[in-house]
Amino acid sequence: MNYSNLFRIAIRALIRNKLRAFLTMLGIIIGVASVIAMLAIGEGSKQKMRGQISSMGTNMVMVMPNFQRRGGVSLGASSSMALKYTDVIALRNEAVDVGAVSPEIRASGQIIYSNKNTQTTIYGVSEEYLSIRKLEVLSGRVFNANETRSMAKVCILGQTVVENLFGKGADPVGLSIRIKNLPFLVIGVLKDKGESGMGQDQDDLILAPYTTVQRRLAAIDYINGIYASALSEEKSPAAIVEVEEILRRTHKLKESTENDFRVMSQSELLKTITSITDIMTYLLGAIAGISLLVGGIGIMNIMFVSVTERTREIGLRMSIGGRGKDIMKQFLAESIILSILGGVMGVVFGYLLARLAGSLMSSQAIVKTQSVVLAFIVCFVIGVFFGWYPARKAANLNPIDALRYE
Amino acid sequence: MNTIIEIRNLRKDYHVGEVTVHALRGIDLKITEGEFVAIMGASGSGKSTMLNILGCLDKPTAGDYLLDGINVSSMEKDAIARLRNQKLGFVFQAYNLLARTTALENVELPLFYNPKVRARDRREAAIRALEAVGLTDRMHHMPNQLSGGQQQRVAIARSLVNDPVLILADEPTGNLDTRTSFEIMELFQNLNEKGRTIVYVTHEPDIAKFATRNVMFRDGKIYRESIVTERLNAKEILETLPVEVIEEFD
């Protein structure tokens, strides 16, 4: 029997039981749809996080003091003071793979404008900080070298701070606000950046010259961190090594001593987050895969019922010349058609589900071609695998017994 | 005349638990082309076993069975299936039509298993077979829209469609009323006149009288063989019967 005949016979047999065929497919449809949707949501959130992290600058290199703990006791105070402004100068002068370098000093406090107030973090930085962190000025300007030298009380506001103090969309450039009771002149407003990949508001900040924050607000002589940018994303591993060498030298650390600082790069962070979201995606996919397996067992169950119910039909087909292998092929074809058709519907349904979920979660759901191809292969395998045993049972029936079956 | 069936010392034993049942105890039978044979006997006489073996649905325990010159006893399973497809046509007491499948598609079914028939000739062959049984106007009806007699005609068309050398019928009139039984026998007699070899099983002596030869089975042996002397003509009988008003469902 040739294959077009085979599939015609199988399709006719399925059409005779439309409702049952559909219910059988439902297991596969739900299984495939959930796999496709889960993978698409996972892929979508991965891409979203990736985008957000790259928007922070993929060539960014961060230096933080290393908070050492010994036997559970934090040696925080002394080690958190490890970084000094001289480190920034050393990096600026000596590091070859590093472009811009900026210190970061954090202070938090109450900000007041007329009868409104808010709590936020004030970042003391140099002008390069904006290019390193990919921040842009929406209106006004960035502080200049003169203002830095003179510890001028000028600041640049993030959008959330603007919203809290002045209302949405206001332009407070030229107005004066009070930070920890000191009057500061607003010289610029930053462009909106939205939430970070980890759900942090990236607009809730104030930038000011590092000298101003260090002396007037925080009153410390060390710095909280250094932000630098490698010359390119590819050079960031080299930049990390270089930064480490330079800082060990300026900190006069002996061979045996551990670093009193930590160097991290955004590309490393990206890798970590990508691997985490990958694991999430596979986990979701695996759970959805279980429902696909259950769908496959559903097919096997129905094929068994079908073989029993159609025993007389099998007997008749044998009596008019159907060979065991023809019967077997017919039942296999039926289960493959069921699973592939279920797969097609599942892909469509899963795609719609992914789009719906994507719009609800305000992240795009991306259906990759690979997952669609994979779904079809899995469906075909399920059709063959779970159809095989019932089909063999049908093929091995004795024609007389099958004909007499009541 | 060609010999269609030649059976020599054929035996069939069944093992039911530890008991061996001798269903057939040495049968010798010869059927030539163009014969119309009725196999008769009480239940348990071995006539159904005989028909199953003739139809290559069952294998004999011992003895030879030559169908159209081919020794079936020594054949492979798949080759026997081809034999059933191309040399034999089956008609069952319960019609055994596929439900929710039109008469035409039911008749086409054996052609799907025949590699010699091309797809485009299939429909035409099925229509010709339905013409032969006089059912062209019911081609697209489902079995449940047909009367018993019509369903049996579809089954006969199905048995004819591969142009077999032999048609085997197992109690073909067993589920039908008298008039419809005669109609089916009329159809068989017509086919026989056109040269078809037909073997059927029946336990009704009346129905056996339409054949040319009767073979009587008893206890797994042929008890009596006889040429039918007062052969009945189904067409003539039907003309004498009062015409019933048959309600048609359309």
Side-chain angles (χ1 to χ4, degrees):
Chain A
M1 189 166 41
N2 64 38
Y3 285 92
S4 74
N5 278 358
L6 179 70
F7 278 95
R8 204 162 300 152
I9 285 180
I11 286 167
R12 277 184 187 175
L14 290 175
I15 287 172
R16 259 182 273 139
N17 269 305
K18 282 189 215 79
L19 181 65
R20 191 171 69 186
F22 176 72
L23 290 176
T24 313
M25 278 192 296
L26 208 55
I28 293 291
I29 293 173
I30 292 171
V32 170
S34 50
V35 168
I36 294 275
M38 289 303 170
L39 291 182
I41 290 166
E43 184 63 25
S45 54
K46 186 167 118 184
Q47 299 261 341
K48 188 187 176 188
M49 271 192 196
R50 227 177 222 283
Q52 277 166 342
I53 289 169
S54 351
S55 78
M56 288 193 285
T58 44
N59 52 352
M60 191 162 76
V61 175
M62 291 159 280
V63 185
M64 301 287 159
N66 199 5
F67 290 95
Q68 287 177 0
R69 280 175 173 274
R70 252 179 229 146
V73 180
S74 170
L75 306 173
S78 65
S79 60
S80 70
M81 293 191 281
L83 296 172
K84 298 279 192 295
Y85 187 68
T86 48
D87 294 331
V88 176
I89 296 167
L91 290 178
R92 244 178 225 155
N93 293 340
E94 295 173 41
V96 185
D97 289 328
V98 175
V101 185
S102 166
E104 185 186 272
I105 298 146
R106 288 184 296 271
S108 62
Q110 197 184 34
I111 325 296
I112 303 169
Y113 175 76
S114 98
N115 62 343
K116 290 191 180 141
N117 74 88
T118 183
Q119 189 83 20
T120 191
T121 309
I122 304 102
Y123 290 85
V125 296
S126 67
E127 302 127 77
E128 292 100 321
Y129 190 78
L130 283 89
S131 72
I132 296 167
R133 301 216 53 177
K134 301 244 162 87
L135 298 169
E136 279 173 68
V137 172
L138 184 69
S139 76
R141 62 177 179 86
V142 186
F143 36 81
N144 54 38
N146 253 335
E147 284 165 328
T148 304
R149 209 175 308 124
S150 63
M151 292 182 262
K153 286 176 277 184
V154 292
C155 65
I156 304 170
L157 306 185
Q159 280 297 333
T160 306
V161 179
V162 172
E163 206 176 302
N164 287 343
L165 291 182
F166 305 96
K168 205 173 175 119
D171 186 6
V173 173
L175 297 174
S176 181
I177 58 168
R178 298 179 80 80
I179 302 173
K180 285 180 128 181
N181 262 337
L182 287 175
F184 274 73
L185 180 68
V186 178
I187 57 167
V189 173
L190 291 174
K191 221 174 176 178
D192 180 51
K193 243 195 143 182
E195 270 180 21
S196 76
M198 280 79 83
Q200 200 182 359
D201 184 359
Q202 297 182 93
D203 298 314
D204 191 10
L205 83 172
I206 295 177
L207 299 184
Y210 69 94
T211 47
T212 314
V213 177
Q214 194 177 30
R215 300 290 174 206
R216 294 187 195 269
L217 297 177
I220 50 172
D221 64 344
Y222 58 89
I223 59 176
N224 297 115
I226 300 171
Y227 278 78
S229 58
L231 288 179
S232 67
E233 196 184 334
E234 293 74 45
K235 281 195 174 155
S236 71
I240 291 174
V241 174
E242 202 177 19
V243 167
E244 211 175 311
E245 274 170 19
I246 293 168
L247 290 183
R248 278 189 76 90
R249 191 149 24 83
T250 57
H251 289 191
K252 300 192 174 70
L253 296 177
K254 279 184 241 158
E255 285 284 323
S256 56
T257 327
E258 266 183 61
N259 286 350
D260 55 357
F261 57 88
R262 270 187 306 158
V263 187
M264 291 171 291
S265 75
Q266 195 75 332
S267 58
E268 261 182 5
L269 189 67
L270 191 65
K271 254 184 237 158
T272 314
I273 286 183
T274 308
S275 69
I276 290 171
T277 48
D278 273 352
I279 290 169
M280 279 284 293
T281 307
Y282 293 141
L283 208 66
L284 288 174
I287 292 168
I290 290 171
S291 67
L292 196 58
L293 184 74
V294 173
I297 293 169
I299 285 199
M300 178 147 82
N301 185 22
I302 290 295
M303 292 314 291
F304 263 126
V305 171
S306 184
V307 167
T308 312
E309 193 192 88
R310 287 154 64 191
T311 302
R312 279 174 70 104
E313 178 190 328
I314 294 164
L316 170 77
R317 285 182 187 279
M318 286 176 162
S319 74
I320 60 174
R323 293 167 298 175
K325 55 181 108 158
D326 294 327
I327 305 296
M328 172 141 187
K329 279 186 203 158
Q330 181 194 335
F331 277 84
L332 263 186
E334 280 182 32
S335 77
I336 289 169
I337 289 170
L338 278 181
S339 53
I340 293 278
L341 213 61
V344 173
M345 290 195 206
V347 167
V348 173
F349 189 53
Y351 176 73
L352 296 177
L353 208 68
R355 284 192 56 170
L356 184 72
S359 65
L360 287 179
M361 293 179 1
S362 77
S363 83
Q364 224 185 328
I366 296 155
V367 179
K368 290 210 289 191
T369 338
Q370 290 141 270
S371 49
V372 173
V373 172
L374 187 78
F376 277 116
I377 294 171
V378 168
C379 281
F380 185 79
V381 171
I382 282 179
V384 174
F385 185 79
F386 290 107
W388 186 268
Y389 193 56
R392 246 186 51 133
K393 191 188 163 195
N396 289 340
L397 284 171
N398 181 353
I400 316 175
D401 296 340
L403 274 171
R404 286 206 194 120
Y405 185 85
E406 290 298 328
Chain B
M1 280 291 185
N2 284 333
T3 305
I4 298 288
I5 289 175
E6 191 174 354
I7 284 173
R8 289 189 293 252
N9 196 23
L10 192 112
R11 296 178 164 274
K12 177 73 187 175
D13 299 336
Y14 289 110
H15 300 279
V16 185
E18 292 187 357
V19 188
T20 304
V21 180
H22 303 287
L24 296 175
R25 311 159 181 248
I27 304 286
D28 293 289
L29 186 67
K30 210 175 211 179
I31 294 172
T32 50
E33 198 179 340
E35 270 200 284
F36 191 16
V37 179
I39 294 176
M40 298 186 65
S43 56
S45 61
K47 63 182 194 304
S48 289
T49 307
M50 188 70 246
L51 197 79
N52 286 337
I53 290 173
L54 287 180
C56 302
L57 291 171
D58 210 348
K59 278 196 153 191
T61 315
D64 287 322
Y65 171 27
L66 277 76
L67 173 65
D68 205 20
I70 308 159
N71 195 338
V72 180
S73 314
S74 60
M75 278 175 96
E76 291 286 317
K77 247 181 145 185
D78 287 356
I80 290 176
R82 198 175 313 129
L83 215 61
R84 283 199 294 263
N85 182 240
Q86 292 167 23
K87 299 259 183 212
L88 296 170
F90 267 104
V91 178
F92 301 94
Q93 180 175 1
Y95 329 129
N96 282 3
L97 300 177
L98 292 190
R100 274 161 286 170
T101 306
T102 64
L104 188 62
E105 283 171 342
N106 263 298
V107 176
E108 274 182 315
L109 210 57
L111 300 171
F112 278 103
Y113 296 102
N114 188 348
K116 288 180 193 160
V117 178
R118 285 172 304 175
R120 71 181 99 106
D121 301 332
R122 207 151 46 206
R123 181 132 300 205
E124 213 181 301
I127 291 171
R128 254 185 281 121
L130 279 166
E131 266 167 18
V133 300
L135 266 185
T136 31
D137 52 336
R138 295 283 189 279
M139 272 194 310
H140 301 292
H141 286 51
M142 303 290 175
N144 61 358
Q145 297 168 317
L146 298 170
S147 70
Q150 286 167 336
Q151 288 187 57
Q152 194 60 297
R153 279 165 190 272
V154 174
I156 292 168
R158 183 180 62 194
S159 75
L160 287 170
V161 79
N162 264 328
D163 195 21
V165 294
L166 176 67
I167 290 178
L168 295 167
D170 187 4
E171 307 249 10
T173 59
N175 284 8
L176 301 172
D177 61 56
T178 315
R179 187 184 173 87
T180 321
S181 297
F182 290 160
E183 282 170 3
I184 294 298
M185 291 324 289
E186 183 197 8
L187 177 58
F188 274 141
Q189 283 189 330
N190 278 342
L191 293 170
N192 180 241
E193 273 160 33
K194 286 174 194 151
R196 293 268 171 214
T197 315
I198 301 169
V199 174
Y200 66 105
V201 163
T202 184
H203 61 264
E204 293 169 75
D206 286 357
I207 297 296
K209 281 186 186 147
F210 292 101
T212 54
R213 181 152 70 110
N214 285 358
V215 179
M216 184 75 132
F217 273 66
R218 185 182 282 179
D219 297 330
K221 282 183 179 165
I222 293 176
Y223 166 71
R224 195 179 63 212
E225 261 187 272
S226 58
I227 303 292
V228 180
T229 45
E230 293 165 38
R231 194 179 175 211
L232 297 177
N233 185 319
K235 197 179 174 193
E236 284 168 12
I237 294 174
L238 278 169
E239 277 163 5
T240 62
L241 280 181
V243 180
E244 291 169 49
V245 181
I246 299 161
E247 281 181 56
E248 298 254 355
F249 306 94
D250 268 307

